[in-house]
Amino acid sequence: MSNWKMYKSTGNGFGAVTGQAGSLVTQLDAVLVNGGATQGITSITRSGSTATVTCAAAHNITVGQNDWVTLSGASQSDYNGTFQVLATSTTVFTYTVANSPATPATGTCLWNHPGAGWTTVFTATNKRVYLNGSGALSRRYFRINDAAAGVGGAKEALIRGFTTMSDIDTGTNPFPTNAQCANTQNSHAINKSQTADATARAWFIFADDRTCYIFIVNGSGNYAPVLFGEYYSFTPGDTTACMLCGQITENSYSTVSGFAMSNAANAAAGSCTSGYTCGDGALFKNSTQFGIPYCQFQQ
């Protein structure tokens, strides 16, 4: 099983989301694929199997949260790789190193937060198609249009899932289908900001190479959550266990932005219909709508 990682806008190598085109996919490129920008290291020393890293600046790592790091540039290869942090102080963190490399490490050593293991399949200006990693059984494609294409303009991005894709805008077996979603490009919205400007909006993301949960503090008084990727199925080898949950109403900030209510009756019943699963185009329906328990995330 892959390791869940937590990412946040205040983490070194990342930045805020704004109500401007491209601000979300810039951060998702780092979180899902490339990792955060590299940070400087003053020294790496070793005592037994514990490596101690002194950073060039405060690292903002919290053990139990954003505590996965990738080390690179050391002449002694055992120091390089992706590790979970054991302990921290303001500019120092430790991790377990294999074998007995020379101490201190030599070379130009750097660290960063690693990406979650997804790939970017297609790229256009402020648009991306992401594919979850090889550890996922139900590998599906997710197109994110962050080019101010929807009703909310640059305040929102649009997201839709596909079974296969041949270019940035063309795919098969979409979820949701055209009939299920009348929004712009038949997509769900991702609320980035209440305002179409450079106001910095904080976010945090939980992700592994299968699934991504996004929470954006968009200024409305609520978090704006979105979920896409594989869910854990009770069916062994299930290649259709993939889903998308997002905002069903464009340019709307009055409801719980991600898992929004489609109507008052759904809200009263404690469920909503903002979720869609993929299918295989044969035995399972191409896109199946489902409800989730009503929940509210407030700032």
Side-chain angles (χ1 to χ4, degrees), residues 244-262:
L244 164 64
C245 266
Q247 172 70 36
I248 59 176
T249 305
E250 294 179 81
N251 199 30
S252 174
Y253 303 88
S254 60
T255 61
V256 181
S257 298
F259 303 141
M261 301 302 104
S262 58

Side-chain angles (χ1 to χ4, degrees), residues 154-243:
K155 296 184 294 184
E156 296 178 329
L158 304 174
I159 182 170
R160 195 182 194 191
F162 296 87
T163 297
T164 66
M165 295 198 75
S166 56
D167 60 47
I168 194 78
D169 291 319
T170 306
T172 66
N173 298 330
F175 52 105
T177 64
N178 294 1
Q180 290 168 333
C181 182
N183 290 345
T184 304
Q185 298 179 359
N186 307 105
S187 300
H188 278 335
I190 302 175
N191 295 155
K192 301 189 299 177
S193 176
Q194 269 197 308
T195 54
D197 55 30
T199 301
R201 305 298 185 185
W203 53 264
F204 61 94
I205 295 174
F206 296 94
D208 63 4
D209 65 347
R210 299 180 179 186
T211 310
C212 178
Y213 295 82
I214 304 173
F215 298 86
I216 302 174
V217 187
N218 64 11
S220 68
N222 297 308
Y223 288 106
V226 174
L227 159 64
F228 57 96
E230 184 168 280
Y231 59 87
Y232 290 91
S233 173
F234 290 104
T235 303
D238 189 353
T239 59
T240 64
C242 207
M243 62 183 283

